Amino acid sequence: MEYFCKKCNMSVKRLMCGECDVELVNDTITKENGETVQVSKCRNGHGMIKSPTCCGHDMECRKELI
């Protein structure tokens, strides 16, 4: 998976789970107030992180690199 910044074109590839060494997948979660948040999740259920940000906003997920 690759994240990129629309403003400066910075990109980040292949975020990995430290527990099982599997590439994280892009997803969204919905908070209690209804707001959606982009996250990167372990496909084996070891957790999730807030997806990368750059230039003050969420980076976009470009593609799966499986």
Side-chain angles (χ1 to χ4, degrees), residues 9-59:
N9 294 318
M10 159 71 167
S11 65
V12 178
K13 293 181 181 178
R14 295 184 175 96
L15 300 175
M16 307 296 282
C17 175
E19 184 74 22
C20 64
D21 204 34
V22 169
E23 187 174 348
L24 303 180
V25 295
N26 187 61
D27 202 355
T28 58
I29 59 169
T30 303
K31 295 170 48 172
E32 288 182 14
N33 65 3
E35 177 186 359
T36 59
V37 177
Q38 182 175 296
V39 297
S40 298
K41 296 172 98 169
C42 173
R43 58 183 94 211
N44 292 323
H46 292 122
M48 69 183 108
I49 60 169
K50 170 75 179 74
S51 292
T53 60
C54 187
C55 296
H57 60 85
D58 285 345
M59 296 174 87

